[in-house]
Amino acid sequence: MPEKTVADFWFDPRCPWAWLTSRWMLEVEKVRPVEVRWHVMSLAVLNESKLDELPEEYREMLAAAWGPVRVCIAAEQKHGPEALGPLYTALGTRLHNRGEELSRELLSAALADAELPADLVEAAESTEYDEAVRASHKEGIDLVGQEVGTPVISVPGADGSRTAFFGPVVTPAPKGEAAAKLWDGTLMVASTPGFYEIKRTRDVGPVFDD
């Protein structure tokens, strides 16, 4: 078996675009020798210096976004990094695919889906894990700079180095060979010295699988 390529992936559970990219990465694991390592970042932390410039509705979303990332970090610290992938899938399936409203009940249900202890939900309303949230966020955002969002992925670059990007942003999440081609292209640009950006304006919203 070929040695697996590691892709580090930073996510905020509330971000629909990160969710789609994460589903692509799970598909990539099926078609390429790749292992995804999950990490938490925070839209609330990312935007806290510019809250006064944001619409009230978005500020309210950011305030509520603390709960899921705190629960994720608590799960990681108490049950290891392997707990993050299943918990992220459980949260994202309810938030994005099913369109459920974020609530304590949703967090509790997601923990049950991921077979994690119910008492982890208490982290949502506690500041106990905020320092760890900020540290995990900083680890990811320091790789790409402040003018990006979630997701951040880190992949092999040129000469054994690592390269990190915001994105790729894609909808719907590619499947099968299409997922493999996008992954191969990601590695290609990551291995190109001096490559920084490809971008176009989004003209559709996120499209989720049933």
Side-chain angles (χ1 to χ4, degrees):
M1 293 291 292
E3 183 178 351
K4 289 189 175 182
T5 299
V6 172
D8 288 292
F9 191 108
W10 280 263
F11 68 91
D12 184 311
R14 291 301 307 274
C15 179
W17 298 103
W19 173 248
L20 289 167
T21 306
S22 74
R23 299 311 93 181
W24 161 66
M25 283 305 312
L26 290 184
E27 191 72 13
V28 170
E29 284 189 319
K30 299 176 185 177
V31 293
R32 291 290 187 269
V34 170
E35 176 187 355
V36 182
R37 297 189 303 204
W38 304 100
H39 309 272
V40 173
M41 64 183 298
S42 168
L43 287 171
V45 173
L46 182 69
N47 289 281
E48 64 184 353
S49 66
K50 51 188 176 184
L51 287 178
D52 291 343
E53 306 168 16
L54 300 173
E56 182 178 355
E57 181 179 359
Y58 195 70
R59 292 199 303 269
E60 292 175 354
M61 185 280 289
L62 293 176
W66 275 104
V69 295
R70 286 166 171 166
V71 171
C72 285
I73 285 288
E76 180 185 34
Q77 293 206 343
K78 291 188 174 183
H79 300 280
E82 62 273 13
L84 274 180
L87 180 54
Y88 182 28
T89 289
L91 286 166
T93 298
R94 290 180 174 276
L95 286 168
H96 304 300
N97 291 58
R98 300 182 189 174
E100 297 179 16
E101 291 293 325
L102 176 60
S103 64
R104 182 184 176 91
E105 290 71 27
L106 181 147
L107 294 174
S108 294
L111 287 166
D113 293 342
E115 300 182 349
L116 288 166
D119 61 0
L120 287 171
V121 74
E122 303 301 331
E125 301 298 329
S126 169
T127 60
E128 177 182 356
Y129 296 95
D130 287 7
E131 184 176 343
V133 169
R134 291 179 183 279
S136 182
H137 175 87
K138 185 176 187 300
E139 182 184 11
I141 209 69
D142 281 354
L143 298 175
V144 290
Q146 294 294 324
E147 299 305 316
V148 299
T150 173
V152 169
I153 63 169
S154 173
V155 299
D159 303 322
S161 64
R162 302 281 295 181
T163 299
F165 295 113
F166 161 58
V169 175
V170 61
T171 189
K175 300 284 195 301
E177 187 58 24
K181 287 180 178 179
L182 180 55
W183 171 251
D184 295 342
T186 300
L187 293 184
M188 181 183 69
V189 297
S191 64
T192 302
F195 176 85
Y196 290 101
E197 185 174 13
I198 294 177
K199 189 172 183 178
R200 62 175 178 158
T201 300
R202 302 174 203 173
D203 57 4
V204 296
V207 178
F208 307 116
D209 293 333
D210 295 331

